[in-house]
Amino acid sequence: MWIIYLILALLLLVLTVLPKIQNPHWIFRVPEFAKIQVTYLIAITFMLGFFVDATDHLWYYQGLLIVLFIHHSHILIRYTPIYPVKKHTQRYKSSEKLHFVSANVYQFNKEYSRFSALIDKYNPDFFMTMESNGDWEQALRVMEKEYPYQHKVTLENTYGMHFYSRIKIIEARTHYFVADDIPSIEVHMKTEDGFPFVFFGVHPPPPSPTEEETSKERDGDLLSTAKRVKDIKKPVIVVGDFNNVAWSKSSILFRKTSHLIDPRIGHSFVSTFHARYRLLRFPIDLMFHSEDIFIKQLKTLENFGSDHLPVYCEFFIDHHNDEQEDLVETATSEEKAEAEKIIEEGKEEDGGRDAVVTED
């Protein structure tokens, strides 16, 4: 029992320290994803300590576990309802409520009808798919009568993106910020009651042993989006499979560079991946918004066969409401310089991806 306890305690220490080392290799970045699971495991290991035969060093390790638990909890508590944030009410000058769904469909998922049924059930004003290829585009054509405005980026490399809307699209662009096979979409729309806004969809590659060796492309792509967003003078929402977590240094730098707000703060984790394994589920499908967009509801929906759960959001726009100004954080000059460096490193990185990806 003592050996098991000792191994767990040391492993938890390593998983806590690794993300503190600002190295882009996946070995240092992946442990950031599991902060929720690590925190629970720290608590379990601490309880296990009471059943270990007493040794001279036991309470040193118990003290270490307490410190680790406090460290992780201090960060995670911001993403729970316990953390105090001001609640906002909808004013008469604001827009009507809008709804959207964002979903990484998993390119090799063939259960197209389950996704169509999910869209029919929740009836969003617009929705975005990621990892949608030619087969998915063909399957989603049945939705085009209901959603007559579209912007499509059809790719076979698991980075395709499709956007469908009932709201008229004024302008749509596809950006390739750091690589010519990793798109981001920028869609300008205007509600029927006269409120213009911009939707950004992102899906950068993850750092992992099976995909990108480092987080350079991911972070460069996200911070390029942040720079673009900062210059837009309309209400903005950035949504997608960030392959990142809200508490990572690069996510915080994204938020500060873009001057956007993280709606998870004071709300919940909204964990999406992996859809099939509840205990190993990470909040990597993120969302950020400008101060004149107010989130009424943000949650995951039921699984439709993908490895990600879809995200549902209800929001309204209010140009004349400054209640959220204090939630906006801005980057320092040092952070701006760091962001520029990360963007350049992302552009220089060679992802080495195949043009067409086949399922293993």
Side-chain angles (χ1 to χ4, degrees), residues 86-97 193 195 294 296 316-324:
K86 186 177 180 181
K87 303 300 180 183
H88 308 285
T89 56
Q90 189 167 3
R91 300 182 178 183
Y92 71 92
K93 292 182 180 179
S94 65
S95 73
E96 295 295 323
K97 291 178 183 176
D193 50 354
F195 287 79
F294 295 80
K296 295 290 291 183
F316 65 89
I317 306 168
D318 191 342
H319 298 310
H320 311 289
N321 190 336
D322 58 2
E323 289 183 342
Q324 293 190 131

Side-chain angles (χ1 to χ4, degrees), residues 87-133:
K87 303 300 180 183
H88 308 285
T89 56
Q90 189 167 3
R91 300 182 178 183
Y92 71 92
K93 292 182 180 179
S94 65
S95 73
E96 295 295 323
K97 291 178 183 176
L98 299 168
H99 314 77
F100 73 82
V101 169
S102 169
N104 183 323
V105 297
Y106 181 58
Q107 181 171 298
F108 306 104
N109 173 21
K110 304 300 182 183
E111 300 192 53
Y112 311 117
S113 60
R114 288 181 66 185
F115 181 73
S116 297
L118 181 136
I119 295 299
D120 289 339
K121 177 180 177 180
Y122 290 96
N123 195 31
D125 296 293
F126 53 91
F127 67 91
M128 178 182 70
T129 62
M130 293 158 285
E131 289 202 29
S132 40
N133 61 354

Side-chain angles (χ1 to χ4, degrees), residues 19-283:
K20 300 296 179 186
I21 302 171
Q22 293 308 309
N23 185 306
H25 195 278
W26 66 264
I27 289 175
F28 300 93
R29 303 280 57 90
V30 167
E32 292 176 318
F33 291 44
K35 185 176 287 290
I36 300 170
Q37 288 79 4
V38 166
T39 306
Y40 279 116
L41 192 54
I42 289 170
I44 293 170
T45 306
F46 178 79
M47 297 302 297
L48 180 65
F50 292 106
F51 298 94
V52 171
D53 293 335
T55 71
D56 294 338
H57 303 292
L58 175 62
W59 287 105
Y60 291 108
Y61 287 100
Q62 289 289 77
L64 171 65
L65 291 172
I66 291 173
V67 171
L68 295 181
F69 184 82
I70 292 172
H71 166 74
H72 289 289
S73 298
H74 175 70
I75 295 170
L76 293 178
I77 198 170
R78 287 172 54 85
Y79 304 93
T80 71
I82 299 173
Y83 190 78
V85 291
K86 186 177 180 181
K87 303 300 180 183
H88 308 285
T89 56
Q90 189 167 3
R91 300 182 178 183
Y92 71 92
K93 292 182 180 179
S94 65
S95 73
E96 295 295 323
K97 291 178 183 176
L98 299 168
H99 314 77
F100 73 82
V101 169
S102 169
N104 183 323
V105 297
Y106 181 58
Q107 181 171 298
F108 306 104
N109 173 21
K110 304 300 182 183
E111 300 192 53
Y112 311 117
S113 60
R114 288 181 66 185
F115 181 73
S116 297
L118 181 136
I119 295 299
D120 289 339
K121 177 180 177 180
Y122 290 96
N123 195 31
D125 296 293
F126 53 91
F127 67 91
M128 178 182 70
T129 62
M130 293 158 285
E131 289 202 29
S132 40
N133 61 354
D135 291 340
W136 269 95
E137 182 177 319
Q138 179 67 31
L140 291 173
R141 283 183 180 164
V142 297
M143 313 290 290
E144 292 183 3
K145 184 176 180 181
E146 186 68 25
Y147 294 90
Y149 305 103
Q150 303 113 29
H151 183 63
K152 304 174 182 178
V153 187
T154 308
L155 297 172
E156 300 295 332
N157 65 349
T158 72
Y159 290 98
M161 304 178 82
H162 289 70
F163 183 84
Y164 298 82
S165 177
R166 290 196 186 102
I167 302 171
K168 185 176 181 180
I169 294 176
I170 307 301
E171 179 187 3
R173 305 177 188 177
T174 302
H175 298 283
Y176 295 90
F177 288 122
V178 299
D180 59 8
D181 59 347
I182 301 295
S184 299
I185 61 172
E186 175 185 340
V187 183
H188 294 245
M189 294 178 282
K190 190 173 185 179
T191 66
E192 289 186 0
D193 50 354
F195 287 79
F197 69 101
V198 181
F199 178 94
F200 257 89
V202 300
H203 182 204
S208 79
T210 58
E211 296 200 45
E212 300 303 307
E213 185 174 291
T214 75
S215 65
K216 289 181 179 180
E217 279 193 312
R218 180 198 70 182
D219 297 341
D221 188 73
L222 291 176
L223 288 168
S224 296
T225 300
K227 280 186 62 180
R228 169 64 186 160
V229 164
K230 184 174 66 68
D231 295 331
I232 295 175
K233 305 307 178 185
K234 302 174 186 176
V236 180
I237 296 178
V238 182
V239 179
D241 176 2
F242 277 58
N243 280 310
N244 205 354
V245 283
W247 48 79
S248 75
K249 183 177 180 180
S250 55
S251 277
I252 293 170
L253 189 57
F254 170 89
R255 175 163 51 83
K256 290 182 176 182
T257 302
S258 63
H259 299 178
L260 298 183
I261 296 166
D262 183 352
R264 283 170 164 76
I265 295 175
H267 177 61
S268 67
F269 299 121
V270 195
S271 298
T272 55
F273 177 88
H274 196 287
R276 297 185 186 91
Y277 311 117
R278 183 178 295 273
L279 295 180
L280 294 175
R281 191 172 292 172
F282 312 131

